[in-house]
Amino acid sequence: MGDPMVHRLLAAGFPVTAWNRTVSKAEPLAGAGAIVAPLLADAVRDADIVITMLESGSVVGAVLDAALPALRPGALWIDMSSTRQDEAQSFHARLQAVGSRFVDAPVSGGVGGARDGTLAIMAGGSEADVEAARPVFEAMGRVTRVGLAGAGQVAKLCNQLIVGGTLNIVAEALLLAQAAGADPAAVRAAIRGGFAESRILDVHGQRMLERNFVAGGQVTTQLKDMHNILAAAAAAGVALPVTSLVTERYESIRGVYPHADHSAALLALERLNPGQRVGDAPDRLEADLP
């Protein structure tokens, strides 16, 4: 995600200094016009805005701790990773304590959305801080302020709740069509355009029919989000029974298909139904080599 986001920022005319924990991963960005910093302190020292896009809240926290001594007062730290709400609130408090600012701004849209500049960006922070970051956000997609710090992560969890649930429902619909004697591809075509239409039915319904489980969003990532959703629900004092079931389905394939696309919800369902399978194509679990 970080690579196409940097390209969008450069195309919009922003000067970008790129840093990665593995320096070699950032080096290709130099050819696009970014300055590649081998040291984290060098990357943040003169920055008015720092953007993190990392795999988890614990990693964001570790990078934040390492960067704080070099961070200039008043700098705006934008975390576009997917973390827990309480982690985002902790980042906000730590930055506020040293005179800096924070916005949590997780995204939806995947690598394609990052490449095309069409990400849905859910921002939590003060109105002034979100507005200060708006030109940067608009280089990457469409931003909506959803509340104070931590609220962006709540919005992303709501997004992932819907994504995870819908992936499993689409899998159930296609398997039912197949098992009951209908053509699942034709059923998908028939219901598109009606109330069942969704981006998930469009993109991931096709992936399931093709049995293409080469990773976009991974099972492990979806599962991390599902557990974060349940943690947020527990903190808010609400029960989410459907989300609990969806989490169980992904847990059932964590050890078998950890790096498969999250459309592997179909594989989890088929394991519940021995002898039932959508289509007859072989499963694709790894990218084809050139």
Side-chain angles (χ1 to χ4, degrees):
M1 290 291 287
D3 182 273
M5 292 165 75
V6 169
H7 281 84
R8 295 299 307 187
L9 291 169
L10 291 169
F14 291 102
V16 178
T17 299
W19 173 83
N20 192 290
R21 289 172 294 165
T22 304
V23 177
S24 61
K25 292 183 178 180
E27 286 173 347
L29 292 170
I35 297 170
V36 176
L39 299 178
L40 175 59
D42 293 337
V44 304
R45 184 172 289 111
D46 297 321
D48 295 316
I49 294 177
V50 175
I51 299 174
T52 41
M53 187 61 166
L54 298 163
E55 65 186 80
S56 67
S58 61
V59 175
V60 175
V63 170
L64 176 58
D65 285 340
L68 278 177
L71 196 66
R72 53 193 294 186
L76 174 59
W77 189 296
I78 303 171
D79 182 37
M80 303 188 78
S81 319
S82 293
T83 73
R84 298 194 312 268
Q85 179 186 18
D86 64 318
E87 289 174 323
Q89 292 169 333
S90 171
F91 303 150
H92 170 65
R94 286 150 70 182
L95 286 158
Q96 192 173 48
V98 296
S100 294
R101 301 170 291 155
F102 177 76
V103 169
D104 60 304
V107 303
S108 181
V111 175
R115 182 182 59 247
D116 298 337
T118 57
L119 292 171
I121 303 169
M122 298 151 267
S126 71
E127 289 187 21
D129 289 343
V130 174
E131 284 306 307
R134 185 172 293 277
V136 170
F137 287 140
E138 289 181 346
M140 296 181 282
R142 174 182 55 84
V143 62
T144 303
R145 178 179 178 267
V146 294
L148 297 175
Q153 296 301 337
V154 174
K156 177 60 185 290
L157 293 179
C158 291
N159 179 86
Q160 293 307 94
L161 183 158
I162 293 170
V163 168
T166 306
L167 281 163
N168 280 264
I169 289 297
V170 169
E172 290 190 7
L174 296 179
L175 188 67
L176 173 61
Q178 180 85 48
D183 178 347
V187 168
R188 172 179 169 273
I191 63 179
R192 292 189 64 193
F195 283 144
E197 177 67 284
S198 71
R199 184 71 173 155
I200 299 294
L201 180 64
D202 177 17
V203 175
H204 291 287
Q206 185 62 32
R207 288 178 67 101
M208 291 176 192
L209 290 170
E210 295 172 354
R211 305 195 67 86
N212 175 10
F213 304 112
V214 177
Q218 296 186 11
V219 166
T220 51
T221 303
Q222 184 69 41
L223 193 51
K224 177 200 75 171
D225 291 337
M226 302 313 295
H227 283 298
N228 284 348
I229 292 163
L230 292 175
V238 296
L240 301 178
V242 173
T243 298
S244 295
L245 289 172
V246 170
T247 304
E248 289 178 12
R249 292 294 85 231
Y250 280 115
E251 283 285 7
S252 74
I253 57 171
R254 180 210 288 264
V256 188
Y257 307 111
H259 303 301
D261 186 80
H262 50 190
S263 58
L266 177 64
L267 298 177
L269 180 64
E270 290 172 346
R271 288 167 65 86
L272 261 186
N273 295 275
Q276 300 291 347
R277 189 176 190 273
V278 172
D280 55 11
D283 293 343
R284 285 184 57 205
L285 293 163
E286 296 183 2
D288 294 330
L289 297 175

